[in-house]
Amino acid sequence: DRLLMAASLPVIVARDIANRFGAQVVHDGVGFEVGAGEIFGIVGGSGSGKSVLLKTLLGLRRPDAGTVAIEGHEITAMDEQELRAIKRRYGVTFQHGALFTALTVAENIILPVVEVLDLDEASLARLVELRLGMVGLPLEAAAKHPAQLSGGMVKRAALARALALDPSILFLDEPTAGLDPIAASAFDELVLYLRDTLHLTIVMVTHDLDTLARTCDRVAVLVDRKVILDTLEGIVANEHPWIRHYFHGERGRAVTERLESGDGT
């Protein structure tokens, strides 16, 4: 059972996180653990600090209080050189792909590799081929620039780059944003496939309720500068006003109906 495994093997541990911008308090005592092999969703309203929390987990922002540990290594007090070694343990995709537009897909994929490994051209070409295959992109996509790709292909190319260094953890920022329902569903299935075949732990920031229902083992909702953590079924049953509005409004009706029918995660 993945949830039992998640409970016994925390890969990410956030403790008492506080983030402030002047007098504005974004997070006040946020804490949770993410277990091995878990897909962990983060959701919240505008201004709830989803992006700030993600940056904190990635070591891109030092919290005003609290700690973050990745695979047993506390990152909040690390200098940049120490952080660089930790960052090789995880891959990241950002909302709009964040591919370098002047580089081909192949060049984007190998960019993080050549920074840390000295591989010959044949090995790099093989790596590109393998990563494209992992994310379901044809080999001819390697020579294309991001502007020549569809939105779904950009998402997959960004995912291929995130997997370049064989990370054990993936952070996905709004992975299905901008995709039509068919492409979003296919991307969700890809995420599940990669988690199962590569034994990944995945942290996902998303507002896509269908993605939450299809992929996430547990969901952390950022409300009132705190976090409410549960399975999706538990979150949907929560009486907090924002949660009721978000999950039981028009956008959430399909998700709640799916859960009630037993066709959820």
Side-chain angles (χ1 to χ4, degrees):
D1 186 277
R2 291 197 305 274
L3 293 182
L4 288 176
M5 179 171 60
S8 60
L9 297 171
V11 173
I12 300 168
V13 180
R15 289 278 183 265
D16 300 319
I17 296 297
N19 281 304
R20 296 184 290 270
F21 296 91
Q24 180 188 7
V25 179
V26 180
H27 304 127
D28 183 15
V30 168
F32 51 82
E33 296 182 354
V34 182
E38 186 173 16
I39 300 182
F40 186 88
I42 298 174
V43 67
S46 178
S48 62
K50 299 186 297 295
S51 295
V52 174
L53 180 59
L54 181 60
K55 289 178 181 178
T56 304
L57 297 177
L58 293 173
L60 300 177
R61 171 184 168 83
R62 188 163 293 180
D64 294 286
T67 61
V68 175
I70 294 180
E71 294 184 331
H73 302 273
E74 186 188 326
I75 68 170
T76 36
M78 288 183 174
D79 60 31
E80 187 55 41
Q81 184 173 354
E82 292 172 314
L83 271 174
R84 195 173 298 120
I86 296 298
K87 288 176 181 178
R88 294 174 193 167
R89 299 172 181 264
Y90 62 71
V92 186
T93 71
F94 295 99
Q95 181 171 350
H96 301 293
L99 296 173
F100 290 98
T101 57
L103 302 180
T104 65
V105 169
E107 290 167 340
N108 269 282
I109 292 171
I110 66 174
L111 187 62
V113 178
V114 297
E115 291 179 349
V116 297
L117 299 175
D118 183 20
L119 298 180
D120 58 41
E121 289 190 13
S123 297
L124 290 172
R126 178 59 177 158
L127 183 145
V128 168
E129 181 181 354
L130 288 171
R131 295 303 179 269
L132 290 176
M134 279 182 183
V135 301
L137 284 177
L139 186 55
E140 53 264 29
K144 294 184 177 181
H145 287 79
Q148 298 174 285
L149 304 177
S150 68
M153 292 178 75
V154 167
K155 299 278 190 182
R156 289 172 184 259
L159 187 54
R161 184 179 64 182
L163 294 170
L165 286 170
D166 288 320
S168 56
I169 307 167
L170 272 182
F171 292 93
L172 308 178
D173 184 15
E174 299 287 2
T176 56
L179 299 182
D180 64 69
I182 294 174
S185 178
F187 196 91
D188 291 339
E189 292 301 320
L190 173 61
V191 168
L192 289 168
Y193 168 77
L194 291 173
R195 187 274 303 274
D196 293 340
T197 57
L198 301 180
H199 308 293
L200 296 168
T201 300
I202 299 174
V203 175
M204 176 191 303
V205 174
T206 183
H207 71 278
D208 189 325
L209 296 176
D210 287 322
T211 292
L212 286 172
R214 278 192 290 255
T215 66
C216 292
D217 297 303
R218 290 186 299 150
V219 179
V221 182
L222 295 174
V223 287
D224 304 327
R225 301 180 295 279
K226 304 285 188 180
V227 65
I228 296 175
L229 179 63
D230 208 332
T231 63
L232 184 59
E233 291 88 345
I235 291 295
V236 168
N238 193 286
E239 294 295 328
H240 188 282
W242 187 88
I243 293 176
R244 299 298 296 177
H245 174 75
Y246 191 77
F247 286 94
H248 294 271
E250 184 177 347
R251 281 159 35 91
R253 192 168 297 125
V255 172
T256 54
E257 288 175 355
R258 182 185 295 118
L259 291 173
E260 289 167 359
S261 70
D263 187 27
T265 56

